[in-house]
Amino acid sequence: MTDPALRFQDVDLSYGRTPALSGINLSLDPGQALALIGPNGAGKTTLLRGILGTVRVSGDLRILGHPVGHVPPGLIGSVPQSADLDLSFPVTVRHVVEMGLYAELGWFGRLKGEHRRRVREVLERVDLADRAQDRFGELSGGQRQRVLLARSIVANAKLILLDEPFNGLDGPNRSALLSIVRSLKEEGVAVVVSTHDMVLAEEVCEQTLLLAGRQVAFGPTEEVLVDDVIRQAYGSAHVG
Ligand SMILES: Nc1ncnc2c1ncn2[C@@H]1O[C@H](COP(=O)(O)OP(=O)(O)OP(=O)(O)O)[C@@H](O)[C@H]1O
């Protein structure tokens, strides 16, 4: 039997001794997408950090069958919010994608023809092959996110985390990202998307976790994103 991509059983997350999120219970299958929805400060980014093992986790959290903190390198791909990226770092788009191969090659491993071919193919897939030699920091926010997604794809990540990836994207960039997410799911990759956009969650995510410093609801998106449940996280002002 295949392990769930994610399984939280009574998980609490905290920053040192400061609790941030409590009582999380969920399961996500390979090939499915999970939307994290909730108001500002609800704990969406914290939940992603929990999966990456960069905040304190208590309870039972398993990722692709591995306990948190013991997931083999490369299996989790992470695309942080664009505001969190250091754009002064002088790397090209191709170099950023090649970083996805480090788990396979080791930091000092040499790239072979097969690796370069994979990097080229993935850059084509995210429609950025013509920007391969450009500096990462010169790209638009949407393009930078697609480069980071390419880095996860080249690593053959089985779980990809996207933190508010649709913020500030125009229509074409939004469609491009949505179609990549759909094709990843078809390949059996599980995706977690933190977003304020409920329409997007309905479009691409089978499951939704509604947060407000705790788990308000988890389940099929069409059952969670209904007025009565949303109100429990946002209050009445945000419904209607
Ligand atoms: N580095 C940190 N140290 C201590 N507390 C933090 C830290 N980062 C976030 N928090 C706290 O954890 C809680 C959840 O924040 P988080 O950033 O996960 O929310 P969010 O849902 O992603 O919000 P937003 O939609 O604004 O990005 C908040 O109370 C926040 O103040």
Side-chain angles (χ1 to χ4, degrees), residues 107-214:
W107 284 93
F108 302 105
R110 285 178 61 88
L111 287 178
K112 300 198 179 105
E114 179 245 344
H115 299 116
R116 292 185 209 286
R117 179 183 54 74
R118 267 166 61 194
V119 168
R120 256 195 323 272
E121 282 173 4
V122 174
L123 276 170
E124 275 163 25
R125 183 167 171 185
V126 301
D127 204 17
L128 287 171
D130 57 336
R131 307 297 303 266
Q133 303 304 333
D134 292 347
R135 242 174 94 147
F136 179 69
E138 289 168 3
L139 270 56
S140 73
Q143 290 167 333
R144 287 197 299 270
Q145 280 178 330
R146 297 216 300 278
V147 174
L148 295 177
L149 193 51
R151 183 184 62 173
S152 301
I153 296 172
V154 91
N156 289 323
K158 299 288 177 244
L159 172 68
I160 296 186
L161 314 178
L162 303 170
D163 197 356
E164 307 211 2
F166 295 91
N167 276 7
L169 289 196
D170 59 15
N173 272 300
R174 183 187 149 101
S175 309
L177 192 53
L178 271 176
S179 83
I180 298 166
V181 169
R182 287 201 181 95
S183 68
L184 286 167
K185 289 198 304 175
E186 278 165 20
E187 291 162 19
V189 175
V191 182
V192 182
V193 188
S194 138
T195 180
H196 287 275
D197 185 341
M198 298 190 199
V199 174
L200 177 114
E202 280 159 357
E203 261 182 74
V204 82
C205 298
E206 290 81 5
Q207 307 286 335
T208 291
L209 175 67
L210 191 59
L211 295 169
R214 62 186 169 88

Side-chain angles (χ1 to χ4, degrees), residues 15 18-21 38-47 49 55 81 163-164 194 196 211 213:
Y15 292 92
T18 314
L21 204 48
N40 292 124
K44 303 180 292 295
T45 300
T46 302
L47 190 114
R49 289 181 183 146
V55 294
Q81 291 188 30
D163 197 356
E164 307 211 2
S194 138
H196 287 275
L211 295 169

